[in-house]
Amino acid sequence: GAGVSQSPSNKVTEKGKDVELRCDPISGHTALYWYRQSLGQGLEFLIYFQGNSAPDKSGLPSDRFSAERTGGSVSTLTIQRTQQEDSAVYLCASTLDRGRSGELFFGEGSRLTVL
Amino acid sequence: GNSVTQMEGPVTLSEEAFLTINCTYTATGYPSLFWYVQYPGEGLQLLLKATKADDKGSNKGFEATYRKETTSFHLEKGSVQVSDSAVYFCALNSGGYQKVTFGIGTKLQVIP
């Protein structure tokens, strides 16, 4: 498709399990962002990729969170040993423009529920 | 570091009322400013943007003016409709290897 694609759209898991969330950005978009949206918390920045490198991973909440991007395209966000406080909607966005005026294109998100 | 402050809401208005959602920011350099909107059940999408001081962004009857002197980018609409019910996010981008910083989001509910 032409937009940012995220999978799974919904994931229910048990506390302590690992989960992987996938983001397929718009073709040709060099910059990719992960955000977390929790009720009442707005959009929390997690990590930013430019190509395959991550110049800013300052938002990852703990060492249980990691992300990678391969081939300058698909990105995977991995959460190990999930906790209930990890429950949220995880949003991915991409942009062609590394400059300051670029529009972010968002996927519809992956809703994670940790029981 | 960069930050965006916006009213938390929810904001409830009657149809055809005037809307203002306040947004102020703190940033280094000369950021671009954005309003994104998230309709129920949908992903975020760009509503409007302004890239330099005194620029006015506009779309779908919404407007916001980049005010450097007051570091503000307030969203306004003269006459809201039920279909405008959504969550509105103010954001800034300083460019380069910088994250895009979002406000907390303001939920707008328009009642007939």
Side-chain angles (χ1 to χ4, degrees), chain A:
Chain A
V4 177
S5 177
Q6 291 188 246
S7 61
S9 54
N10 273 288
K11 176 71 175 180
V12 180
T13 190
E14 294 180 347
K15 178 181 172 181
K17 300 285 189 183
D18 296 352
V19 297
E20 283 191 353
L21 306 176
R22 175 190 168 103
C23 173
D24 200 343
I26 293 172
S27 178
H29 279 195
T30 56
L32 185 148
Y33 298 77
W34 283 99
Y35 288 87
R36 180 166 70 176
Q37 186 176 21
S38 306
L39 197 61
Q41 298 297 316
L43 260 65
E44 178 188 4
F45 168 80
L46 297 178
I47 188 169
Y48 160 54
F49 287 93
Q50 182 64 38
N52 290 338
S53 63
D56 189 348
K57 54 179 77 171
S58 62
L60 295 177
S62 73
D63 58 9
R64 296 186 296 105
F65 287 72
S66 63
E68 65 176 11
R69 189 178 185 197
T70 55
S73 181
V74 172
S75 176
T76 303
L77 177 68
T78 301
I79 309 172
Q80 296 179 308
R81 305 181 302 281
T82 52
Q83 304 294 313
Q84 289 183 332
E85 60 263 28
D86 300 334
S87 297
V89 177
Y90 290 82
L91 297 174
C92 176
S94 70
T95 184
L96 178 61
D97 184 358
R98 201 190 81 186
R100 62 183 184 88
S101 62
E103 172 185 357
L104 293 188
F105 293 84
F106 282 85
E108 294 194 4
S110 292
R111 180 177 297 277
L112 174 65
T113 303
V114 181
L115 301 177

Side-chain angles (χ1 to χ4, degrees), chain B residues 16-69:
Chain B
E16 299 183 1
F18 184 86
L19 169 71
T20 300
I21 301 177
N22 290 337
C23 171
T24 57
Y25 67 90
T26 302
T28 55
Y30 301 94
S32 291
L33 302 174
F34 305 82
W35 279 99
Y36 283 83
V37 58
Q38 185 177 33
Y39 297 105
E42 298 184 15
L44 275 82
Q45 57 187 275
L46 180 67
L47 179 61
L48 55 84
K49 72 177 184 182
T51 59
K52 62 183 188 296
D54 299 325
D55 268 3
K56 178 186 284 187
S58 61
N59 187 23
K60 300 182 180 180
F62 290 88
E63 293 183 340
T65 300
Y66 190 140
R67 300 286 189 201
K68 192 170 187 301
E69 64 276 12

